[in-house]
Amino acid sequence: MLIMKEVILEKALTYIEPGPVTLVTTADGGKNNVMTISWTTAIDFDGHIAIITGAWNKSFSTILKTGECVVCIPPAFLAETAVGIGMVSGADADKFERFGLTALPAKTVKAPLIGECMACLECKLVEYIESYGFLVLKVTRVVENENISDRRILHAVGDGTFYADGERYDLREKMKTKLPPGL
Ligand SMILES: Cc1cc2nc3c(=O)[nH]c(=O)nc-3n(C[C@H](O)[C@H](O)[C@H](O)COP(=O)(O)O)c2cc1C
């Protein structure tokens, strides 16, 4: 018998959320900061992505003020570090120092890359939809760190549990007419 059992509404996001956990860096007058963001989405094939955040975070006001940030993808083995970064505000601590992160210079923005991440997306803020804290970003440069051997992306379920990437299915041949050139 196929029975669908109703559960609490809050469960909705746990089915939608599992995109990558990201570490988003900012620089305010030369002072680097980083926050954890798991509410992210790709928007189009022209390099637009979105992150969702709000005024309770220091990074949010810095992004609005400077119009830029870097969205970094930590390997799964940094899960506890990513959670730690998301539990402390840059208003109270230097998180690069506290979590042993290496700030590397970006090229198109002042916010830093994180040397321990497998990839970093340098981004400019193009639109802010205030009612939902929805920040639309244009990616201006992408860098990858091939020295990071753990290529597993971390996914937050939204209830304090996480997945690391497992088996990868290659269905490129089936959807090749929908893939942009170079991907
Ligand atoms: C796993 C995890 C995911 C998080 N995702 C988000 C998010 O998507 N959006 C958000 O605004 N805050 C998110 N947070 C909370 C911020 O990272 C947290 O408030 C952080 O301390 C803000 O740092 P800041 O004040 O230095 O900017 C997350 C925290 C954790 C632990």
Side-chain angles (χ1 to χ4, degrees):
M1 204 190 306
L2 301 174
I3 298 175
M4 300 300 274
K5 183 173 155 237
E6 184 167 349
V7 296
I8 53 169
L9 217 54
E10 285 77 3
K11 278 224 150 179
L13 79 83
T14 69
Y15 290 103
I16 300 297
E17 178 160 333
V21 172
T22 66
L23 298 178
V24 176
T25 75
T26 47
D28 191 358
K31 193 164 181 286
N32 293 335
N33 191 23
V34 56
M35 76 177 286
T36 305
I37 291 208
S38 52
W39 289 346
T40 61
T41 183
I43 293 181
D44 59 24
F45 284 133
D46 297 323
H48 291 99
I49 61 171
I51 57 175
I52 291 89
T53 182
W56 57 91
N57 298 307
K58 183 175 190 297
S59 307
F60 172 76
S61 57
T62 309
I63 296 171
L64 288 193
K65 185 171 138 191
T66 61
E68 52 181 52
C69 64
V70 179
V71 177
C72 297
I73 316 299
F77 82 89
L78 286 181
E80 289 195 30
T81 301
V83 169
I85 290 167
M87 301 303 292
V88 181
S89 176
D92 306 318
D94 177 340
K95 288 193 258 183
F96 273 83
E97 192 181 284
R98 179 176 297 193
F99 294 99
L101 302 176
T102 312
L104 300 173
K107 272 204 178 137
T108 61
V109 297
K110 293 201 173 66
L113 311 174
I114 300 176
E116 289 73 20
C117 285
M118 69 171 89
C120 293
L121 318 180
E122 298 177 14
C123 297
K124 302 271 187 193
L125 176 66
V126 291
E127 200 167 334
Y128 167 42
I129 301 167
E130 191 174 356
S131 45
Y132 293 103
F134 198 86
L135 304 181
V136 179
L137 306 172
K138 168 79 179 168
V139 180
T140 49
R141 184 168 173 256
V142 181
V143 293
E144 291 179 346
N145 186 345
E146 289 178 357
N147 291 330
I148 306 286
S149 53
D150 183 0
R151 308 306 297 178
R152 295 169 307 151
I153 288 173
L154 192 61
H155 305 277
V157 176
D159 61 359
T161 65
F162 297 81
Y163 294 107
D165 275 350
E167 196 175 345
R168 186 166 177 159
Y169 300 96
D170 186 346
L171 302 176
R172 296 165 64 81
E173 197 50 37
K174 245 187 177 349
M175 56 180 296
K176 66 181 171 199
T177 57
K178 288 212 181 288
L179 296 175
L183 264 193

